[in-house]
Amino acid sequence: MELIQNTSDLSAYLAADEAIDHEHLLVRETAARLARSAADSYGYARLAFEFVRDEIPHSQDSGDPRVTWRASDVLERGTGICYAKAHALAALLRAEDIPTALCYQKFDVVHGLVAVRFNGAWHRQDPRGNKPGVDAQFSLDGEQLAFVPDPEFNELDYPVLYAEPHPVVLGALKAAPDRSHLWQTLPTAL
């Protein structure tokens, strides 16, 4: 699948916004802590991915009813669904000047992940969190995502790489008072 930037301006994939608030002190401190253990930007990206995947539980898996959507809130509260975890990873990567896009897949509902730009190409990564049957890994040599769409079930990969969260996704997150409400209003398509 060919990934398509929704803007040709690569600097848009480094920008902060209300959800990817990489200028927030907690995001900067977390990024600096992770960067101290990394030999280079690839090593940092892998560490940031593993931190979000492994240290911030997916709220459905953990049973946490809270809904987070802003990267700094995901880091502070230590919880989030796929979209929120993607926002947190994007913020951590952008804090260290690694271009990062938000991208999506369609299953019964829309699933969120990120793409990082290394060596002139985009590479999708899924920080959702591993569990039995899910083994997402950071890789630039081939995708190892949490889920693979099955076209027979009308599942698909959306090819667009967004510089900001998709408005439908962000709207659902911001409007949900808790996860049970969010589960009833998750987007089913973009």
Side-chain angles (χ1 to χ4, degrees):
M1 174 184 64
E2 181 181 347
L3 299 173
I4 304 163
Q5 293 178 205
N6 77 325
T7 176
S8 60
D9 180 6
L10 197 57
S11 69
Y13 297 97
L14 292 168
D17 62 38
E18 68 175 335
I20 304 171
D21 59 341
H22 65 75
E23 296 169 345
H24 188 281
L25 182 60
L26 180 56
V27 176
R28 301 304 271 179
E29 288 174 346
T30 304
R33 180 173 46 82
L34 293 169
R36 284 193 291 274
S37 300
D40 55 22
S41 61
Y42 172 81
Y44 172 79
R46 184 182 48 76
L47 287 172
F49 168 84
E50 291 171 353
F51 172 78
V52 173
R53 183 194 64 192
D54 300 342
E55 302 300 323
I56 299 172
H58 189 287
S59 57
Q60 175 70 16
D61 296 348
S62 68
D64 195 320
R66 298 174 296 170
V67 174
T68 54
W69 57 270
R70 185 177 287 120
S72 58
D73 292 339
V74 173
L75 296 176
E76 180 183 335
R77 296 179 184 163
T79 191
I81 68 165
C82 60
Y83 313 130
K85 291 181 65 154
H87 299 169
L89 180 55
L92 289 171
L93 294 171
R94 290 180 183 187
E96 291 294 317
D97 295 320
I98 298 170
T100 308
L102 298 166
C103 44
Y104 303 93
Q105 297 174 306
K106 181 192 179 303
F107 298 99
D108 290 336
V109 296
V110 174
H111 174 64
L113 51 154
V114 303
V116 295
R117 189 163 178 90
F118 277 102
N119 303 321
W122 289 100
H123 307 272
R124 294 189 309 162
Q125 313 295 328
D126 192 341
R128 181 228 178 269
N130 289 340
K131 63 180 187 174
V134 175
D135 184 27
Q137 300 295 323
F138 185 85
S139 176
L140 302 183
D141 297 323
E143 295 181 339
Q144 190 166 345
L145 306 176
F147 309 109
V148 177
D150 185 341
E152 288 187 32
F153 294 102
N154 294 318
E155 298 173 348
L156 59 93
D157 286 307
Y158 289 108
V160 177
L161 301 173
Y162 294 91
E164 298 176 344
H166 193 284
V168 170
V169 167
L170 194 56
L173 288 170
K174 290 170 77 171
D178 57 36
R179 190 174 38 81
S180 64
H181 180 272
L182 178 62
W183 247 235
Q184 298 170 21
T185 60
L186 285 172
T188 57
L190 296 182

